[in-house]
Amino acid sequence: MQRNATQNRWAASRCRAALLIAACLAFSRSVWAEEGKIWEGLFNYQQKMANIGNAEAQFNLAEMYAQGQGVQADPIQARHWYEAAAAQGYEPARRKLAALDAGEPLVKIAAPAPAPVAPPRPPIPVQPPAPPAQDTASRQELERMERERKQLEQELARSREEMQRLQEENARQEAELKRAEAEKDEARRRLAAKALLEAEMKKLRETPPAFDQ
């Protein structure tokens, strides 16, 4: 009787241990899968930033290719992105290239894979580094200034047209004023001539006629 009870307790302990191990394995798999998604998302972000010319992102992308984090390890791609970052003057990339040229291995200590890596990606064609981000900002600023220049030119053209219209209107008014002055002068001359004629006629009327003796 006592022997059967001992065997039952031993079987129950084994069952609990098996359940605990299974739960730990399931939890580990979920953690690894979640970490794998995080690494893959981080790789995609760094790749986008590197492609638009961000030197720090190019260096980080090279490190991920070297370590096999979020992507299958690829030493060729790693060196390509180190060189792209170094070409922009990024000092950590320059030091890394100098160490590699001196014979240092690409990866000093093999880091344990944090999660199952994504399926192999097709190799990225080697292409010249994208223009630096500051060049993109400069181009945007130049485009904005060009738009403002065109807008100012349009406003200046409208101002010139308005000024020409005002000048023409002013010339027309001056011509009207001169014509009115001329008519006024003519009226004065006519009035003066009329007054002179009336004075002569009055003088003639007031002077008695002279008769011959």
Side-chain angles (χ1 to χ4, degrees):
M1 190 75 160
Q2 185 177 2
R3 182 177 179 182
N4 290 335
T6 302
Q7 289 178 347
N8 290 335
R9 285 195 298 272
W10 180 74
S13 298
R14 288 188 61 185
C15 183
R16 286 194 297 270
L19 290 174
L20 181 60
I21 292 172
C24 290
L25 288 175
F27 177 75
S28 298
R29 290 193 191 98
S30 65
V31 171
W32 291 342
E34 187 64 27
E35 288 185 0
K37 291 179 182 178
I38 294 173
W39 279 107
E40 187 174 357
L42 180 60
F43 173 84
N44 292 333
Y45 171 77
Q46 297 292 349
Q47 188 177 44
K48 289 179 182 178
M49 295 299 295
N51 285 331
I52 64 173
N54 186 287
E56 183 179 1
Q58 290 171 347
F59 177 79
N60 293 337
L61 188 64
E63 291 281 278
M64 297 181 79
Y65 270 117
Q67 301 286 345
Q69 294 173 331
V71 68
Q72 187 175 11
D74 189 335
I76 296 176
Q77 286 295 323
R79 186 171 184 92
H80 163 68
W81 288 110
Y82 282 135
E83 291 175 349
Q88 297 193 69
Y90 193 66
E91 191 58 32
R94 288 182 173 179
R95 291 197 298 268
K96 185 69 175 183
L97 286 175
L100 293 176
D101 293 339
E104 181 179 298
L106 186 64
V107 181
K108 292 182 179 180
I109 301 174
V117 299
R121 298 173 178 268
I124 299 175
V126 178
Q127 55 186 357
Q134 56 268 27
D135 289 350
T136 302
S138 299
R139 284 199 304 272
Q140 293 176 350
E141 181 66 17
L142 288 175
E143 291 173 357
R144 183 185 65 79
M145 293 175 66
E146 181 66 16
R147 290 193 300 269
E148 291 181 355
R149 183 186 66 80
K150 291 181 178 179
Q151 183 178 0
L152 288 174
E153 287 180 350
Q154 292 174 355
E155 292 178 357
L156 181 60
R158 288 194 295 269
S159 298
R160 286 174 178 171
E161 291 176 357
E162 182 66 18
M163 183 178 294
Q164 184 177 0
R165 188 188 66 79
L166 291 175
Q167 288 175 348
E168 293 174 353
E169 181 67 19
N170 186 46
R172 186 185 63 79
Q173 291 180 358
E174 287 182 355
E176 288 288 334
L177 182 61
K178 288 180 181 179
R179 186 179 62 80
E181 289 290 339
E183 291 177 354
K184 186 177 180 181
D185 291 341
E186 181 65 22
R188 286 198 191 101
R189 284 194 299 269
R190 290 180 179 180
L191 289 173
K194 183 178 179 182
L196 181 61
L197 180 59
E198 289 178 349
E200 288 293 332
M201 291 179 65
K202 182 178 180 181
K203 184 177 180 181
L204 289 173
R205 286 194 298 269
E206 291 177 352
T207 302
F211 296 99
D212 294 336
Q213 297 289 330

